[in-house]
Amino acid sequence: QKEVEQNSGPLSVPEGAIASLNCTYSDRGSQSFFWYRQYSGKSPELIMFIYSNGDKEDGRFTAQLNKASQYVSLLIRDSQPSDSATYLCAVLMNTGFQKLVFGTGTRLLVSP
Amino acid sequence: DVKVTQSSRYLVKRTGEKVFLECVQDMDHENMFWYRQDPGLGLRLIYFSYDVKMKEKGDIPEGYSVSREKKERFSLILESASTNQTSMYLCASSLAGDYGYTFGSGTRLTIV
């Protein structure tokens, strides 16, 4: 089992719709979770982080965390073509030196 | 904003050459990381450092070494470049894992 798993996509949504991106992780002791956005040919950019169970909202983005199910998601409301990118889920592992483990990312395509 | 600067955006080197990739961060971060990113494989950790002159192997250290003589600078060295080291190389830094990582703009390295 991979430490952090994401569906590679592509996830295609029309402009204005809600995009839902999902991620599962294996380390039950993990405490910190991050979402990065990566445009083609560019480096990852941190867009959201969440530490507690429940929802965290920032503008059009909502991160959701369910530690019991080892599941974290990112909702993008009113999706725009400029949201088209690969979204990387990252989990801070609780073993040894705490370092982020990244999923392979979900490619999101928002069509006008 | 934290700035992580990678010295080259694109680099072409020959097989067998010794290659140096430089990374500098300007926010006094303790932790620095080198990743490579390949299609379908995601981000893979090569080496990381949590203090000056300290280094730890990541998941794929073979064929690489690192140097951290000053807190702000973390160098990745390809001892004898090979074509399978053609990749996007990303440097990142963090104050602590809980705050996530800030990435540099990346170096697309081609070994011919």
Side-chain angles (χ1 to χ4, degrees):
Chain A
Q1 183 189 4
K2 287 184 181 177
E3 292 176 293
V4 180
E5 294 207 58
Q6 296 181 257
N7 188 317
S8 61
L11 173 66
S12 295
V13 300
E15 184 175 357
I18 295 175
S20 177
L21 304 161
N22 305 314
C23 172
T24 59
Y25 59 95
S26 61
D27 181 4
R28 189 170 286 279
S30 297
Q31 298 293 324
S32 306
F33 307 86
F34 304 84
W35 283 99
Y36 285 81
R37 177 177 62 200
Q38 186 174 24
Y39 292 113
S40 181
K42 303 293 186 182
S43 61
E45 171 194 13
L46 180 65
I47 55 172
M48 289 286 287
F49 57 89
I50 186 167
Y51 306 142
S52 304
N53 273 330
D55 295 359
K56 179 182 177 182
E57 189 174 315
D58 184 1
R60 296 187 295 113
F61 298 98
T62 299
Q64 300 176 316
L65 176 61
N66 183 326
K67 290 183 180 179
S69 299
Q70 295 175 240
Y71 178 93
V72 58
S73 64
L74 179 70
L75 301 179
I76 306 175
R77 289 183 301 280
D78 188 24
S79 294
Q80 301 296 309
S82 57
D83 294 325
S84 297
T86 296
Y87 289 81
L88 304 174
C89 172
V91 178
L92 188 66
M93 293 296 170
N94 201 35
T95 53
F97 180 87
Q98 291 187 326
K99 56 184 184 289
L100 287 183
V101 176
F102 289 83
T104 53
T106 298
R107 189 173 167 219
L108 173 66
L109 297 175
V110 181
S111 54
Chain B
D1 281 351
V2 177
K3 192 166 183 183
V4 179
T5 302
Q6 293 184 234
S7 53
S8 303
R9 188 75 180 93
Y10 298 94
L11 207 53
V12 180
K13 296 290 183 180
R14 295 195 178 275
T15 302
E17 275 193 72
K18 191 169 186 175
V19 180
F20 294 84
L21 301 182
E22 305 288 342
C23 176
V24 177
Q25 51 94 3
D26 66 358
M27 280 298 289
D28 203 34
H29 281 179
E30 301 293 336
N31 306 321
M32 297 188 74
F33 308 84
W34 275 105
Y35 288 88
R36 64 178 283 178
Q37 187 174 34
D38 302 286
L41 297 178
L43 284 162
R44 293 183 290 169
L45 181 62
I46 305 171
Y47 267 96
F48 64 97
S49 170
Y50 53 88
D51 201 354
V52 176
K53 297 193 184 293
M54 304 302 291
K55 59 186 179 183
E56 294 286 342
K57 292 179 180 179
D59 301 316
I60 52 163
E62 296 78 18
Y64 303 94
S65 63
V66 290
S67 172
R68 194 168 181 197
E69 296 296 320
K70 293 184 178 182
K71 192 174 186 179
E72 67 270 20
R73 186 180 298 270
F74 192 36
S75 302
L76 179 69
I77 303 154
L78 285 65
E79 297 292 343
S80 177
S82 65
T83 55
N84 63 10
Q85 293 178 310
T86 291
S87 187
M88 169 70 94
Y89 288 86
L90 291 159
C91 175
S93 73
S94 76
L95 182 59
D98 277 5
Y99 296 93
Y101 297 174
T102 299
F103 284 88
S105 55
T107 296
R108 187 163 292 281
L109 175 65
T110 302
I111 307 297
V112 297

